[in-house]
Amino acid sequence: REYFPLMLRECEELTGMTDSMSLLFDDVPPGEPVSAGVLLDPLLSGLRTRFPTSTFRVEAEPEALEQTVPDRQWSALVLSELLANAAESRPGGEVRVRIAKGESGGLCFEIVDQGKDIPPEHAAGIFAPFFTLRPRRLGLGLAIARRWSDRMGGVLRLARNVAGDFAMEWHVPAQAPAPVMEGVISRNDERRT
């Protein structure tokens, strides 16, 4: 009986590793387009529950939140991995998410955790599977994020922002807005035709 909690915890970690490996190698069916704001709300809610000591702050241009990202599931996978990685790199710290219109009509998500600096010799391999600078971590999160970003035609990179902090920048390609159906009620309750 005394070893049961330890065995249970190890089984849960193995299940988590298996789930991560499936995201790295298996296919996830595409989903529908969604606005950045609709995508971000439930994602942040789940992350606040998972990382209760971390603070997630969003800075976004209103028109950026209304812009559509190509795929709900794939975008959620990328953002979830990036935000979880940021929260894990500085437990109890602040994770800032800045959302702005990108260069070619898409969106740019910038995620800053103000954690430890990444040594230059490690920066090149940060997106490789099983690369990690933290003990007891698998090093799959950023590899998963890169894979799904690439599938969407996005660009994911590590950069320094204007304040000199390391930031993950995810550039999502432009997506045409979903067609408006006749008789659908908009946010301000006007009928669209």
Side-chain angles (χ1 to χ4, degrees):
R1 276 193 259 186
E2 65 189 70
Y3 292 112
F4 183 73
L6 175 64
M7 291 169 38
L8 187 59
R9 189 175 76 232
E10 291 300 317
C11 286
E12 288 172 354
E13 287 188 23
L14 283 171
T15 300
M17 182 177 75
T18 304
D19 292 345
S20 292
M21 293 295 284
S22 69
L23 288 175
L24 190 58
F25 297 109
D26 294 346
D27 282 335
V28 172
E32 71 281 355
V34 66
S35 73
V38 170
L39 173 71
L40 204 56
D41 285 340
L43 195 61
L44 287 173
S45 177
L47 287 165
R48 286 183 178 116
T49 302
R50 185 173 163 197
F51 301 102
T53 60
S54 295
T55 304
F56 294 88
R57 185 165 48 105
V58 178
E59 302 166 2
E61 300 168 356
E63 55 275 359
L65 289 175
E66 295 295 324
Q67 192 159 345
T68 304
V69 293
D71 188 287
R72 177 188 293 262
Q73 284 184 268
W74 297 358
S75 297
L77 281 172
V78 174
L79 284 174
S80 177
E81 293 296 342
L82 293 176
L83 292 168
N85 185 70
E88 288 171 351
S89 74
R90 185 161 185 229
E94 181 181 77
V95 176
R96 286 190 329 250
V97 182
R98 188 177 154 280
I99 307 168
K101 285 191 172 184
E103 294 107 28
S104 49
L107 283 175
C108 177
F109 292 86
E110 180 186 70
I111 294 132
V112 180
D113 59 32
Q114 298 174 327
K116 297 177 187 173
D117 271 350
I118 298 166
E121 64 272 13
H122 294 301
I126 200 162
F127 294 107
F130 306 109
F131 177 87
T132 185
L133 296 174
R134 294 184 294 245
R136 294 200 46 88
R137 296 291 179 217
L138 291 174
L140 293 175
L142 294 179
I144 290 168
R146 167 67 66 86
R147 177 178 188 236
W148 291 103
S149 172
D150 289 351
R151 294 221 36 200
M152 293 172 49
V155 175
L156 180 60
R157 66 180 180 206
L158 177 67
R160 283 209 185 262
N161 66 10
V162 291
D165 298 319
F166 273 109
M168 283 292 168
E169 287 183 0
W170 182 38
H171 297 271
V172 185
Q175 173 68 30
V180 177
M181 305 285 288
E182 189 170 319
V184 173
I185 305 295
S186 72
R187 283 193 165 171
N188 58 6
D189 292 328
E190 292 177 9
R191 262 203 200 279
R192 294 183 184 180
T193 56

